[in-house]
Amino acid sequence: MFPFYVEVALTAFRRQLIYRWANISGLVTNIFFCTLFSYIILALYHARPAVPGYSVQDSLRYTWLLQSFLMVISPFGWMDLMMTIRTGEVVSDLSKPCDFCWYWFSREVGRSLFFLLFRGLPIYVAGMVLFHIGVPISWTNWGTLLLMLPPAILLGVAYRFLYNIFAFWILEGRAMVTMSVVISQFFTGSYVPVYFFPGWLRSFTVWLPFNGFMNAPALAFLGKMTLTDFWFEFVRQLGWLLVLILIARAVTTIATRRVVSQGG
């Protein structure tokens, strides 16, 4: 079945290529808001030049990295699965000769790869041009990013799969989607860098699954982790991924018992 899931991912990737203007408008929007965030960071450092362990260049690079990861890991308003549940199309997906969870995971991995290439990379390049943030040149930085990015993508998929699957129990799930996105954006550091959080909040945040979405990969790429810290974060990231996948599968099993097709 593995070739089937690969083909599903490739199909989802190719499907995104159709929406060229949507991607361009989203790209411009991401760059615009990241530029605003960058000027806020510059104003902050102007008012308080010393932020322990992080220079203004580090913070700008962190901001553009997270904006680059945004649509790759935690896209805004993703309701594809929820809409199939509301319209009844989910019955068709459940009837496919494949695992329902892995089918949707494969689709989303394909979309994430599209956004990595056509949204994430252009956003970071824009940051290099506008704010001269540059990139780390050490192979260690790139190696840690390449290790942490695949689990981060799967964490994002598992999280949005979970808040979509609850459409089996609720009539209107868009409020849940909005709430889930706001929570994830806050705890990933998209609004305020996690290392700017008060000590007690930061200590709490790093133990949440959201830390493995974008914050941990970004800090690893910036070289802000020791080797021991990196492996600890990597194992914690994998642990949360296993937990979320197991929860997703359990909830799916319970939810699909409620599906009724043509009175059967």
Side-chain angles (χ1 to χ4, degrees), residues 134-187:
V135 292
I137 58 175
S138 170
W139 67 267
T140 305
N141 300 76
W142 288 97
T144 54
L145 179 64
L146 290 175
L147 276 174
M148 297 193 86
L149 194 55
I153 290 173
L154 291 174
L155 273 171
V157 173
Y159 178 67
R160 58 183 183 266
F161 181 93
L162 275 171
Y163 66 68
N164 270 255
I165 202 72
F166 280 101
F168 277 110
W169 287 275
I170 54 180
L171 293 176
E172 180 52 72
R174 285 177 291 187
M176 174 172 283
V177 171
T178 302
M179 180 184 69
S180 300
V181 169
V182 169
I183 290 172
S184 66
Q185 295 303 306
F186 177 78
F187 285 111

Side-chain angles (χ1 to χ4, degrees), residues 6-25:
V6 172
E7 188 58 37
V8 169
L10 292 175
T11 301
F13 182 95
R14 290 192 292 267
R15 185 184 298 117
Q16 290 301 131
L17 291 172
I18 299 172
Y19 305 108
R20 297 183 183 89
W21 287 107
N23 185 60
I24 291 172
S25 62

Side-chain angles (χ1 to χ4, degrees), residues 74 83 91 93 104 159 169 181 206 211 229 255 263:
S74 184
M83 294 308 297
V91 174
D93 292 337
W104 276 96
Y159 178 67
W169 287 275
V181 169
V206 296
N211 185 62
D229 290 339

